[in-house]
Amino acid sequence: AWEHLRSHRIALHISGHTHREHVRWIGDNEVTSPYAGCLFVNAGTLHRGHGPCVCVVDTEARIVAWHPYDGERYGAPKVMGF
């Protein structure tokens, strides 16, 4: 799968299958090209029974923030760097 992503120059992959917030960089940290690896982000879920949240990826600040949402308002975000 990694070879497929590299060959197609994919730098960011966002999914939400597991309903869990997650971020992972796979690649070469020493190379400055955005295609030296791929950032995998699990955006979480909107399902009410699984802790719904909204995910924001900031590629300049190199952070991912998950903002919990209770249906009316957003809570303090969980933030992870990459």
Side-chain angles (χ1 to χ4, degrees), residues 23-46:
V23 62
R24 182 175 178 195
W25 169 262
I26 297 178
D28 188 346
N29 290 328
E30 302 300 320
V31 180
T32 58
S33 166
Y35 299 106
C38 186
L39 181 66
F40 292 85
V41 177
N42 190 319
T45 185
L46 294 174

Side-chain angles (χ1 to χ4, degrees), residues 7 9 17 39 53 59 75-76 79 82:
S7 69
R9 297 175 52 95
H17 178 71
L39 181 66
C53 64
T59 57
V79 179
F82 59 88

Side-chain angles (χ1 to χ4, degrees), residues 39-58:
L39 181 66
F40 292 85
V41 177
N42 190 319
T45 185
L46 294 174
H47 190 286
R48 288 183 211 159
H50 292 268
C53 64
V54 174
C55 177
V56 177
V57 179
D58 185 334

Side-chain angles (χ1 to χ4, degrees), residues 13-26:
H13 177 271
I14 299 175
S15 63
H17 178 71
T18 66
H19 293 194
R20 294 187 187 120
E21 301 94 351
H22 179 76
V23 62
R24 182 175 178 195
W25 169 262
I26 297 178

